[in-house]
């Protein structure tokens, strides 16, 4: 089949870390024998961004029409994102027309891109399928007039939801359950696997004599990097690795690593750690957790539905994400018991086998094919 992918988050030479999880999935489609074209609108204001030599092997044809971003600000009943959306719609329409692109269906990643796709490509009368990975759809509805939201969602032929919470929210917006495929995020096992811990610590000049806690994600309050720091800073012989960036930057003697790193370094750094900790307040389906367990790490995270979909007690301890004492206690219970820690690590590796990205890509395309046949 000829697949047209629409996603405004997709790696580029300017932003190699943008939408890596989207890129990892989309790269599987050509491997399954399909012809894939990606349209990823690019903010014209990013012209001066520093470029890298490569963001990875590209198996798709990628077009990056320039667009304009008006941010996401509410002014009375109007949200400035609608200007951004219109600019991206025009950019997609120009790209399809200019290159005479042919496609059997559209795959859009995230609801915002789904709305852009259905409104940009109406005249082609091709089905549009949308991957829903947002942390919470009601937050999104505030950006659109009610009638526009309802009209656009009706134009979408099918949805891939990464969590039961998102599936239920779609049903609440009137989407028939038959149009929703529940499939959590998955991992590329050729990249994310357990490395030798001592070797990775030596490579990144990390202390050999400490137990290490790993955090991966935006340095934002809802992700909880400062809560992780507070939980570990009074633990003896424990250090913390922070991979990410954002306004809540963790600092102090407990921090042994703090950088925004390219995606290929993340599994190496995870393999250097002893436990993964993410006290997040909301998720879609957490890529960071899926990647951590593929590297054999026990998990301390949040007792929220979307994380509970991914984790079980054999390799995780889920707590109130705002309770620093509970986070600290969970970390101590794992790091203080070598037998328990090893058992949880083995269970994490075994559980991760259920989330292989090639199988996920194949299942998604099978769902799309069945919906098109209907």
């Amino acid at each position: 089949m000829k697949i047209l992918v629409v996603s405004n988050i997709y790696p580029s030479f300017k932003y190699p870390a943008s939408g890596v999880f989207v890129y990892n999935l989309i790269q599987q489609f050509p491997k399954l024998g399909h012809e894939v074209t990606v349209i990823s609108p690019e903010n014209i204001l990013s012209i001066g961004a520093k470029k890298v030599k490569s963001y990875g092997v590209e198996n798709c044809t990628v077009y990056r029409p320039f667009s304009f971003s008006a941010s996401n600000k509410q002014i009375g009943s109007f949200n400035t994102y609608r200007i951004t959306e219109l600019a991206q719609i025009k950019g997609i329409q120009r790209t399809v027309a200019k290159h005479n692109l042919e496609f059997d269906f559209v795959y859009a990643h995230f609801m915002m891109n789904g709305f852009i796709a259905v409104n940009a490509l109406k005249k082609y009368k091709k089905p549009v399928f949308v991957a829903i990975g947002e942390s919470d759809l009601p937050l999104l509805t505030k950006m659109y007039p009610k009638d526009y939201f309802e009209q656009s969602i009706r134009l979408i032929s099918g949805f891939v939801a990464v969590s039961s919470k998102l599936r239920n929210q779609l049903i609440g917006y009137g989407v028939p359950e038959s149009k929703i495929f529940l499939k959590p995020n998955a991992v590329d096992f050729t990249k994310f696997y357990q490395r030798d811990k001592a070797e990775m610590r030596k490579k990144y000049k990390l202390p050999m004599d400490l137990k290490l806690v790993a955090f991966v994600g935006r340095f934002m309050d809802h992700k909880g990097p400062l809560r992780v720091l507070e939980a570990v800073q009074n633990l003896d012989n424990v250090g913390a690795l922070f991979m990410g960036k954002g306004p809540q930057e963790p600092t102090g003697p407990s921090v042994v690593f703090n950088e925004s790193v390219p995606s290929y370094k993340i599994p190496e750094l995870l393999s250097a750690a002893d436990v993964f900790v993410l006290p997040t307040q909301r998720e879609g389906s957490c890529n960071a957790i899926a990647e951590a367990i593929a590297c054999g790490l026990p998990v301390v995270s949040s007792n929220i539905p979307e994380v509970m979909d991914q984790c079980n007690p054999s390799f995780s301890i889920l707590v109130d994400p705002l309770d620093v004492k509970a986070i600290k206690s969970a970390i101590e219970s794992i790091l203080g018991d070598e037998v328990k820690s090893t058992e949880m690590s083995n269970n994490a590796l075994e559980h991760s086998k259920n989330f292989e990205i090639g199988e996920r890509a194949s299942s998604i395309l099978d769902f799309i094919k069945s919906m098109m046949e209907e």
Side-chain angles (χ1 to χ4, degrees):
M1 290 188 291
K2 293 182 178 180
I3 305 171
L4 177 61
V5 175
V6 173
S7 179
N8 55 21
I9 56 165
Y10 193 83
S12 69
F13 298 117
K14 296 175 184 176
Y15 300 104
S18 174
V20 170
F21 59 96
V22 178
Y23 162 84
N24 288 336
L25 174 67
I26 300 308
Q27 295 305 307
Q28 300 299 314
F29 293 170
K31 294 178 182 179
L32 294 168
H34 303 283
E35 183 181 326
V36 182
T37 301
V38 177
I39 301 180
S40 182
E42 187 174 89
N43 185 359
I44 196 168
L45 300 179
S46 69
I47 289 176
K50 186 178 179 180
K51 292 185 178 181
V52 297
K53 292 182 179 180
S54 174
Y55 60 83
V57 176
E58 183 58 75
N59 296 308
C60 311
T61 300
V62 182
Y63 296 103
R64 304 180 189 277
F66 282 125
S67 180
F68 173 77
S69 175
S71 191
N72 173 11
K73 296 180 180 179
Q74 197 70 34
I75 303 174
S77 60
F78 179 76
N79 192 293
T80 59
Y81 171 74
R82 299 301 307 284
I83 300 172
T84 306
E85 181 187 50
L86 180 60
Q88 293 189 12
I89 286 172
K90 295 297 185 183
I92 290 168
Q93 290 173 335
R94 287 195 307 270
T95 302
V96 172
K98 179 180 178 179
H99 300 282
N100 295 313
L101 298 183
E102 297 181 356
F103 51 96
D104 298 306
F105 69 88
V106 180
Y107 179 89
H109 211 99
F110 291 141
M111 185 74 89
M112 296 163 73
N113 287 305
F115 284 5
I116 288 169
V118 294
N119 287 288
L121 303 170
K122 285 179 184 177
K123 74 174 186 178
Y124 297 96
K125 301 188 185 316
K126 300 292 185 180
V128 175
F129 297 88
V130 181
I132 305 298
E134 290 88 343
S135 60
D136 206 5
L137 289 180
L139 295 175
L140 187 65
T141 60
K142 298 175 183 178
M143 298 168 58
Y144 301 97
K146 183 179 178 182
D147 58 344
Y148 179 84
F149 183 90
E150 293 175 348
Q151 174 187 326
S152 297
I153 208 168
R154 285 197 300 268
L155 292 172
I156 296 169
S157 301
F159 299 84
V160 179
V162 298
S163 71
S164 55
K165 182 184 86 170
L166 290 171
R167 177 189 60 191
N168 294 338
Q169 288 180 352
L170 284 170
I171 293 171
Y173 291 125
V175 177
E177 190 169 359
S178 61
K179 291 177 65 174
I180 306 170
F181 180 47
L182 178 62
K183 193 68 175 176
N185 287 333
V187 177
D188 185 345
F189 291 147
T190 66
K191 299 175 181 177
F192 285 87
Y193 57 88
Q194 190 176 43
R195 277 86 164 166
D196 181 81
K197 183 181 296 185
E199 185 180 330
M200 291 302 104
R201 289 192 179 193
K202 183 177 180 181
K203 179 175 181 177
Y204 289 96
K205 298 179 174 59
L206 299 172
M208 294 287 188
D209 58 340
L210 298 181
K211 295 289 187 180
L212 296 182
V213 169
F215 171 96
V216 179
R218 287 275 294 160
F219 295 165
M220 306 286 286
D221 182 66
H222 78 271
K223 291 286 188 180
L226 298 188
R227 295 191 292 277
V228 175
L229 179 61
E230 186 178 352
V232 303
Q233 62 187 0
N234 293 320
L235 295 177
D236 294 332
N237 301 313
V238 176
L241 312 175
F242 290 93
M243 289 164 265
K245 62 180 180 179
Q248 288 199 343
E249 185 168 354
T251 58
S254 297
V255 179
V256 300
F257 185 93
N258 175 5
E259 287 184 27
S260 175
V261 297
S263 60
Y264 73 88
K265 289 186 178 181
I266 290 176
E268 296 181 341
L269 287 159
L270 287 172
S271 295
D274 298 284
V275 62
F276 179 77
V277 184
L278 185 72
T280 176
Q281 296 179 61
R282 59 181 187 272
E283 291 291 332
S285 176
C286 184
N287 290 283
I289 290 176
E291 293 165 356
I293 64 176
C295 293
L297 287 183
V299 172
V300 174
S301 192
S302 311
N303 56 0
I304 57 177
E306 48 269 49
V307 173
M308 293 168 69
D309 280 347
Q310 287 184 279
C311 296
N312 67 54
S314 73
F315 63 86
S316 67
I317 299 176
L318 305 184
V319 300
D320 180 345
L322 300 179
D323 188 338
V324 174
K325 288 183 178 178
I327 298 167
K328 178 182 177 181
S329 177
I331 294 171
E332 285 182 303
S333 71
I334 295 171
L335 298 183
D337 187 336
E338 198 69 37
V339 173
K340 179 179 181 179
S341 178
T342 300
E343 182 180 357
M344 292 180 76
S345 175
N346 292 335
N347 291 338
L349 288 169
E350 187 63 30
H351 186 76
S352 73
K353 294 177 182 178
N354 298 312
F355 303 97
E356 195 274 320
I357 198 166
E359 185 278 331
R360 183 173 192 264
S362 180
S363 296
I364 289 172
L365 293 179
D366 286 345
F367 164 72
I368 289 174
K369 184 178 179 181
S370 68
M371 293 296 292
M372 290 173 67
E373 288 173 350
E374 289 180 12

